[in-house]
C-alpha cells in the first residue's frame, strides 16, 4: 500500500511544473490574444480569445519557478521524488514541461476551433490531456537539446517517465483537472466549472 502512494506522489511531482503553468495561465492570463484576433478562412479564430500571450508567458514562467523549487527540494524530499536533471539541465526540462503544457493547450484550441467548438465549450478528453501531451512533447525535445548542449547524458523524460507513471498521470490528470476547475469556478477564478 505504501508503494502505491509513492507512485502517486511521483506522478504528481514530476507533472507539477505543467500543472502550475496551466493553472497560472488561467489566473494571470488576459490582454493580447496569441492569434492577435486573426480569423481563418473557416470563419473561426486561429486559437480564440482564451489563449493570451500573458497567460502563455507568465504561466510558463510560473511553471518554471515551480520546477526550480521542486528541483531544489528533491534531494530533501527523498522517496525517489525526482529532480529535473543534472547541473543546469533542470532549466530546459522545467521549461519544456511548463511551456509545453501551454503549447499543448493552444494546439488543442486550434483544433477545437477547426471542429467548430466555441471558446470555453467543454471538450472532454482533449481539454484535460492537451497540456500533459504538450508537456511531454516539449520536455522530450528540450531533453534532447540538453544532451546536444552537453548539459545531460540521457534524456530526462525517457529516463523518468516509466510506463506505469505515464499511465497513472493519464488517468489521474483528468480527475485532478476537473476537480481544480470546479473549485476555480466555485471561488470565482474561472468562468465555467469544466
Ligand atoms: N488563458 C490565457 N492564456 C493561455 C491559456 C489560458 O489567458 N495561454 C486563460 C484564459 O483566460 C482562458 C482561461 O485561462 O479563458 C482558461 O483556459 P482554457 O480552459 O485553456 O481556455 P478556454 O477559455 O476554455 O478556451 P478553449 O475553448 O480554446 O480551450
Ligand atoms: Mg477550457
Amino acid at each position: 500500500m505504501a508503494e502505491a502512494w509513492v507512485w502517486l506522489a511521483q506522478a504528481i511531482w514530476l507533472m507539477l511544473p505543467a500543472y502550475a503553468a496551466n493553472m497560472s495561465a488561467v489566473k494571470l492570463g488576459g490582454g493580447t490574444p496569441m492569434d492577435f484576433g486573426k480569423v481563418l478562412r473557416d470563419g473561426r479564430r486561429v486559437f480564440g480569445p482564451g489563449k493570451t500571450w500573458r497567460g502563455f508567458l507568465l504561466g510558463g514562467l510560473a511553471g518554471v519557478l515551480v520546477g526550480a523549487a521542486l528541483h531544489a527540494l528533491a534531494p530533501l524530499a527523498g522517496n525517489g521524488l525526482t529532480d529535473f536533471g543534472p547541473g543546469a539541465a533542470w532549466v530546459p526540462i522545467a521549461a519544456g514541461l511548463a511551456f509545453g503544457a501551454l503549447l499543448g493547450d493552444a494546439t488543442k484550441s486550434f483544433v477545437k476551433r477547426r471542429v467548430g467548438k466555441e471558446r470555453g465549450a467543454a471538450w472532454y478528453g482533449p481539454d484535460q490531456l492537451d497540456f500533459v501531451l504538450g508537456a511531454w512533447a516539449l520536455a522530450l525535445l528540450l531533453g534532447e537539446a540538453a544532451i546536444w548542449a552537453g548539459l545531460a547524458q540521457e534524456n530526462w523524460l525517457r529516463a523518468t517517465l516509466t510506463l506505469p507513471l505515464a499511465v497513472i498521470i493519464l488517468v489521474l490528470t483528468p480527475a485532478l483537472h476537473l476537480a481544480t476547475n470546479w473549485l476555480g469556478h466555485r471561488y470565482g477564478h474561472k468562468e465555467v466549472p469544466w
Side-chain angles (χ1 to χ4, degrees):
M1 195 58 210
E3 181 83 346
W5 288 110
V6 172
W7 281 98
L8 214 59
Q10 284 173 343
I12 294 173
W13 177 274
L14 78 96
M15 290 308 285
L16 273 174
Y19 292 161
N22 211 48
M23 289 170 69
S24 306
V26 179
K27 199 72 204 109
L28 305 173
T32 310
M34 292 176 80
D35 62 11
F36 300 102
K38 188 173 165 51
V39 172
L40 295 186
R41 281 166 64 182
D42 57 10
R44 300 180 186 279
R45 291 276 294 270
V46 178
F47 300 118
K51 306 295 115 131
T52 66
W53 283 111
R54 219 168 67 206
F56 177 70
L57 295 172
L58 296 184
L61 220 55
V64 174
L65 287 180
V66 166
L70 298 180
H71 185 70
L73 287 173
L76 311 173
N79 253 342
L81 290 179
T82 184
D83 60 28
F84 292 88
W90 72 267
V91 178
I93 299 303
L97 290 169
F99 286 98
L102 297 170
L103 285 176
D105 177 48
T107 305
K108 183 277 317 273
S109 289
F110 177 83
V111 180
K112 197 170 170 180
R113 298 297 89 81
R114 304 287 79 70
V115 300
K117 289 190 188 294
E118 297 298 335
R119 174 260 182 106
W123 194 18
Y124 292 105
D127 271 343
Q128 286 75 38
L129 290 172
D130 53 4
F131 69 104
V132 173
L133 300 181
W136 289 350
L138 197 63
L140 190 69
L141 205 71
L142 293 189
E144 282 310 298
I147 297 173
W148 295 331
L151 291 176
Q153 308 286 338
E154 56 176 5
N155 190 297
W156 177 86
L157 193 84
R158 235 178 253 145
T160 309
L161 186 69
T162 58
L163 186 63
L165 276 178
V167 171
I168 293 172
I169 291 165
L170 289 174
V171 173
L172 193 68
T173 303
L176 280 177
H177 191 258
L178 287 168
T180 49
N181 280 354
W182 187 84
L183 285 172
H185 174 70
R186 175 85 176 66
Y187 293 100
H189 302 300
K190 210 174 177 298
E191 278 176 33
V192 291
W194 50 79

